[in-house]
Amino acid sequence: MSSVLADSADVAQQTKFALTNVRIFDGERFIAGHAVLVEDGKVLGVVANADLPNDIAAEDLGGKLLVPGFVDVQVNGGGGIMFNDDQSVDALKTIVSGHRKYGSTTLMPTLITDRFEVMQAAADSIESAISQNVPGVRGVHFEGPYFSLARRGVHLEEYIRDVDDGAYDLFTRKGLGA
């Protein structure tokens, strides 16, 4: 392989590059002697080292393990922020960033039982994040407030309520992902 080796900062500037010298796990098996081709932030495929183009920029990962990103469908917060406390797009970016370093690439930020206005703010933020293509935000997970009072667990009784038209409209709203 006669790839152009570059440091991480140089490779990050490329629109197409290869991740080389890496142990690849594809979710089912380990693959040796291969590299991962990336273009515009998306994986194009896994190719044999011998089949890499000579002129492609490459990032040598030093034999580290490369695995598919994790999808977490219940994330109350991250990076020091709880989604119930801050429903802004900036908060979502911080939450995603906080989880990304542990391997989660896609999240469903979760709002625990709260006032309806907070639920609406969370939906607005998720819709904005998705329309802005904020990486990692896939949709929203509303945990409650539609529980049996007898089985509400730690959810505050003052926020438990019956489903109404406003809730139905919120849950079926377009633009909330998943």
Side-chain angles (χ1 to χ4, degrees):
M1 178 175 81
S2 57
S3 298
V4 177
L5 292 178
D7 68 27
S8 296
D10 291 338
V11 171
Q13 300 300 317
Q14 304 295 318
T15 59
K16 186 173 182 179
F17 60 93
L19 300 172
T20 62
N21 188 17
V22 61
R23 293 175 45 225
I24 301 168
F25 180 69
D26 70 0
E28 295 180 12
R29 61 195 160 99
F30 288 93
I31 303 170
H34 285 66
V36 176
L37 288 179
V38 179
E39 184 171 18
D40 296 327
K42 297 188 190 263
V43 173
L44 292 179
V46 176
V47 299
N49 290 336
D51 295 334
L52 279 173
N54 290 333
D55 61 348
I56 193 166
E59 182 173 351
D60 184 326
L61 296 183
K64 291 181 180 174
L65 180 62
L66 187 64
V67 301
F70 301 117
V71 176
D72 196 333
V73 297
Q74 184 172 351
V75 173
N76 298 108
I81 293 178
M82 294 297 291
F83 193 40
N84 276 70
D85 295 337
D86 186 346
Q87 299 85 46
S88 68
V89 172
D90 285 340
L92 290 170
K93 290 177 183 177
T94 299
I95 291 168
V96 169
S97 178
H99 284 266
R100 187 169 300 266
K101 63 185 170 187
Y102 298 109
S104 293
T105 58
T106 304
L107 309 175
M108 296 271 296
T110 302
L111 191 78
I112 60 172
T113 300
D114 211 317
R115 297 181 324 277
F116 190 72
E117 297 76 28
V118 175
M119 294 173 69
Q120 289 174 313
D124 291 344
S125 177
I126 294 292
E127 184 176 15
S128 292
I130 291 172
S131 71
Q132 294 172 34
N133 294 314
V134 172
V137 177
R138 179 68 175 112
V140 64
H141 174 180
F142 291 111
E143 185 178 357
Y146 310 105
F147 297 113
S148 158
L149 281 175
R151 298 184 177 266
R152 74 180 196 285
V154 300
H155 297 267
L156 297 177
E157 184 175 343
E158 66 191 88
Y159 297 136
I160 306 298
R161 57 189 171 274
D162 292 330
V163 176
D164 58 17
D165 288 341
Y168 178 80
D169 291 343
L170 180 68
F171 293 149
T172 58
R173 180 172 154 180
K174 294 188 185 304
L176 294 183

